[in-house]
DNA sequence: GCCTCTAGTAAGGCTCCTTAACTTTATCGG
DNA sequence: CCGATAAAGTTAAGGAGCCTTACTAGAGGC
């Protein structure tokens, strides 16, 4: 189910098939401690011993190894009610860095984060590239600049994730179904970026990453299963269950642009009916004139313009249809609306909920995106961090 | 995501949080060997050592422990090209037994299987119960009979799984949304069965179990992600990814009866439009007369009856709509059609595929159920076996 | 009969965990 | 100010389980 772009993360299943010799035991316990520190924050050795069930000497020695490997560092002290003050340990965020890239139609965004997930450098650049070479160049130079800005040695950037519309086909080494990015479907582009940057890269669908971003940093935190609906130039959905992406058999899960949809009017594909363009078309249909954008229509609706208001109603109904279909198939506990319409979700939320009541008895919580335009970038960072943490651990403990 | 009915399987996540002391290492290696034997069949000690990466002495001693615990037994010999003949070991199927129950509207089916998955006893009984007490009694007495038939000591039946329409609500201790089973929604019924049988029980949705059945014993084997659509009195879908059930946030995933559906005609809910009853209604609408059943309509269509043929066409279109929605959201590599219409899938398959071409560019493989009416029962058995194997391993290795 | 090849066992050593006792350092109460 | 107490952390002894090496057991080829 985990359809990585390239450079797949170390295969968990195979690792579990490995036998349990002593070396793996040691490493498993070090890993246990490190994960605990990441999840619950700094802690003393005695505390870790109590919480993990390991003995105090074991914790001491494992922590010493982790510190020697640069994975963990002292982080202040804490005085208990009475007794000796405890020395606290915390993961060293500077043990490695991850790179996140969001290649969108209008903007290219790049960020570098440390292992704590703190973004240490970032750039947002207009994407005016109209050919594949220009785009790859832009990505490479921007990424280099951001890494330079961060003051981090390039070799410390352990892993990167690129978000893009469409789906990366690892065999043909190219992105498919990315209609809105000119030239971006050519083969070998990602390989070129990877080579020039010297960083292992994965490529993922932007809606999927946005979902992961909302899960890690946003409104999806703690959800058992939620769907992120990205409504912009295109239409996409990302699904996150138990903190992991649900990508389907071929990486096409959530391609809700393909949902069947027979309107009274023309549009045959749902994508054409829900995306930003459709709002404009609907507004025109109801009699609005002038140079319209989706944003303009929403703004007009907010001011009480009747044709715009009706266009928004139509859009809400279509979104409700999408949500209803997703709810019936997936049973999420949360649906997040994001993408280009993010700014206008306040207008849509009420009507969508109302239409939904008429469509289905299932009513998942519906919430606007908290991260807005940053969702994809932060999702890319979060995903890159996941494997970066593994890689750093492996690299640094292997040397010992 | 794993919404068990009750008596949840040992929580994997918590187990992974446990520290790795030597006892767990031993047990992990024994487990590794046992799983390998189950997956790839009988093997010698030397062979296991080569394949798992453990040393020969370790394999020998672990296998000796497993044999002493009754989990593994000698299973003949094999002579290599030259050299000493090897003694083969295989999992002992008689180390424990699992119980599967399928509570359907028309039939109650019960089976007992050994740890190899071989059904050792089975009964199919008409379900004429019209009240909750009668149904629970029928389940209990039938299960007792089957266990007695199998010649297995009741204490050796380690785990059971019950399949039913609807969804089990573990908090309220009752089955919800099971419209077609009179009285079956009352609270505490499952607890009563569990008590009277003295077997730990889980309850799962029938479509979900059917999907698992097709995955384990049927046409879904090896699929990365597939959906089983159960079309009978009701309409349901089970989703299996990487061999595990996908149940959604509240166990309602695949409740495609709730898919939005606006037909030119009346039915508002898809369930009413696709189920067996709907076929009959459609046939009547096209002018068929007499006492009709779904089966009768399909038979007539096979004979060339024009109204019946048109009713089947309509049904195919509705199924195609369902498949298209599932495909867009989930991206399965396989969709299995089963349930009451199972016998008539040959008639539907062609038209469904044809309609699908018009609806969406995504075209997962569509196949008829291989297990037919046994899918739910075998799925229940397979699910029960999963946890039964764990339980038996824990119980028998704990004593050592 | 001897060689070769594979299966399986025995002995010794290594790693890493645990238990238990001990040291260190803090607060509290007189 | 000093001993009692309590918590943090270390040291030392012991043990469980794995690996390596070296061996024995049994089957076939020459």
């Amino acid at each position: 189910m985990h359809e990585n772009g390239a450079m797949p993360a170390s295969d968990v299943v195979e690792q579990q098939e490995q036998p349990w010799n002593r070396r793996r035991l040691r490493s498993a316990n070090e890993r246990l401690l490190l994960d605990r520190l990441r999840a619950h924050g700094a802690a003393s050795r005695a505390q870790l011993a109590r919480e993990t069930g390991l003995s105090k000497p074991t914790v001491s020695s494992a922590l010493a190894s982790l510190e020697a490997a640069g994975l963990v560092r002292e982080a202040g002290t804490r005085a208990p009610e009475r007794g000796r003050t405890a020395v606290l340990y915390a993961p060293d965020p500077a043990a490695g860095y991850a790179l996140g890239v969001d290649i969108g139609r209008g903007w290219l965004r790049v960020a570098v984060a440390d292992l704590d997930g703190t973004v240490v450098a970032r750039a947002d650049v207009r994407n005016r590239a109209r050919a594949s070479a220009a785009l790859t160049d832009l990505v490479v130079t921007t990424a280099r600049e951001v890494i330079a800005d961060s003051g981090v040695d390039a070799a410390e950037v352990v892993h990167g994730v690129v978000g893009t519309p469409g789906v990366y086909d690892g065999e043909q080494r190219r992105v498919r179904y990315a209609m809105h990015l000119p030239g971006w479907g050519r083969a070998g582009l990602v390989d070129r970026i990877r080579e020039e940057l010297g960083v292992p890269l994965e490529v993922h669908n932007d809606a999927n990453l946005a979902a992961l971003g909302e899960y890690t940093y946003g409104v999806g935190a703690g959800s058992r299963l939620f769907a992120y609906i990205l409504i912009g130039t295109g239409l996409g959905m990302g699904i996150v269950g138990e903190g992991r992406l649900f990508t389907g058999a071929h990486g096409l899960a959530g391609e809700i642009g393909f949902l069947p949809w027979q309107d009274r009017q023309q549009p045959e594909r749902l994508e054409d009916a829900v995306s930003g363009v459709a709002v404009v078309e609907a507004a025109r249909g109801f009699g609005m004139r002038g140079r319209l954008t989706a944003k303009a229509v929403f703004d007009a609706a907010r001011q009480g313009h009747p044709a715009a208001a009706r266009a928004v109603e139509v859009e809400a109904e279509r979104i409700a249809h999408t949500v209803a279909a997703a709810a019936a198939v997936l049973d999420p506990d949360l649906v997040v609306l994001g993408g280009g319409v993010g700014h206008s979700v306040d207008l849509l939320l009420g009507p969508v909920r109302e239409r939904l009541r008429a469509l289905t008895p299932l009513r998942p919580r519906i919430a606007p995106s908290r991260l807005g335009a940053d969702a994809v970038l932060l999702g890319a960072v979060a995903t890159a961090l996941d494997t970066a943490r593994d890689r750093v651990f492996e690299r640094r403990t292997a040397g010992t």
Side-chain angles (χ1 to χ4, degrees), chain A:
Chain A
M1 195 152 350
H2 206 67
E3 181 93 350
N4 280 331
M7 281 278 184
S10 56
D11 200 4
V12 179
V13 178
E14 278 211 12
Q15 287 234 354
Q16 278 181 346
E17 290 272 319
Q18 277 179 15
W20 290 98
N21 49 26
R22 292 182 302 291
R23 187 164 295 159
R24 255 169 84 54
L25 186 142
R26 144 65 83 81
S27 132
N29 275 336
E30 287 181 8
R31 195 58 203 257
L32 178 73
L33 292 170
L34 186 55
D35 288 347
R36 180 123 215 144
L37 288 178
R38 264 202 241 287
H40 302 328
S44 72
R45 284 172 277 211
Q47 193 181 340
L48 286 170
R50 279 193 303 269
E51 289 174 358
T52 62
L54 290 165
S55 67
K56 287 197 287 179
T58 302
V59 171
S60 281
S61 105
L63 229 44
S65 300
L66 287 172
E67 192 173 17
L71 287 164
V72 144
R73 60 173 187 188
E74 290 191 14
T77 59
R78 176 161 52 212
E81 299 266 320
R82 61 185 144 177
R84 183 172 166 177
T85 51
V87 178
L88 301 183
Y89 284 82
D92 189 341
Y97 295 84
L99 178 74
V101 179
D102 169 16
I103 303 179
R105 204 178 63 101
W107 289 86
L108 167 69
R109 298 176 217 269
V110 178
V112 169
D114 63 26
L115 286 196
D116 274 2
T118 309
V119 172
V120 293
R122 164 168 180 174
D124 297 58
V125 184
R126 282 229 71 116
N127 175 13
R128 297 194 206 282
R130 287 284 160 271
S132 62
L135 185 49
T136 53
D137 284 349
L138 185 62
V139 171
V140 169
T141 56
T142 310
R144 282 200 182 130
E145 277 170 29
V146 172
I147 292 172
D149 270 11
S150 70
V152 170
D153 182 2
E156 296 285 285
V157 179
V158 180
H159 200 75
V161 165
V162 176
T164 159
V167 180
Y168 187 75
D169 180 334
E171 299 208 357
Q172 296 194 30
R173 318 212 66 71
R174 70 193 198 84
V175 176
R176 315 183 65 160
Y177 310 113
M179 314 42 155
H180 302 297
L181 282 174
W184 187 233
R186 274 183 48 192
L189 296 184
V190 175
D191 296 305
R192 230 191 90 203
I193 297 175
R194 190 188 351 258
E195 275 166 36
E196 296 216 28
L197 286 179
V199 174
L201 288 184
E202 285 172 70
V203 183
H204 286 287
N205 173 265
D206 52 0
N208 285 348
L209 290 183
L212 271 172
E214 287 289 348
Y215 181 82
T216 313
Y217 295 103
V219 71
S223 162
R224 283 159 64 87
L225 176 71
F226 82 98
Y228 178 100
I229 300 184
L230 185 116
I231 308 164
T233 313
L235 176 67
M237 180 167 75
I239 304 158
V240 172
E242 315 256 279
R244 289 168 42 109
L245 260 187
F246 181 91
T247 57
H250 321 93
L252 292 170
E255 288 294 317
I256 49 177
F258 298 135
L259 270 177
W261 167 256
Q262 61 276 58
D263 204 356
R264 296 114 193 104
Q265 285 104 301
Q266 301 88 16
E268 272 299 307
R269 282 188 45 220
L270 185 63
E271 173 152 11
D272 303 323
V274 176
S275 59
V277 186
V279 179
V280 174
E281 276 177 14
R284 271 198 221 291
F286 290 122
M288 271 187 91
R289 288 289 167 263
R291 275 188 59 220
L292 292 178
T293 62
K295 187 169 184 309
V297 174
F298 282 112
D299 286 343
R302 206 172 272 115
Q303 312 262 316
H305 190 300
R310 285 178 66 193
V312 170
E313 287 268 309
V314 169
E315 175 74 358
E317 172 139 23
R318 289 161 172 174
I319 292 175
H321 179 88
T322 309
V323 172
V329 175
L330 294 172
D331 179 33
D333 53 15
L334 171 67
V335 175
V336 179
L337 300 183
V341 302
H343 315 288
S344 315
V345 168
D346 55 315
L347 271 184
L348 287 167
L349 222 50
V352 167
R353 288 198 181 114
E354 192 182 314
R355 296 304 160 115
L356 208 53
R357 257 195 293 279
L359 280 174
T360 163
L362 303 168
R363 262 180 301 282
R365 195 156 66 85
I366 301 180
S369 160
R370 184 186 296 164
L371 306 180
D374 287 354
V376 178
L377 179 66
L378 292 179
V381 166
T383 309
L385 277 171
D386 244 26
T387 57
R389 289 183 182 128
D390 286 352
R391 283 243 190 294
V392 168
F393 182 83
E394 284 160 21
R395 176 191 290 187
R396 299 212 174 213
T397 51
T400 311

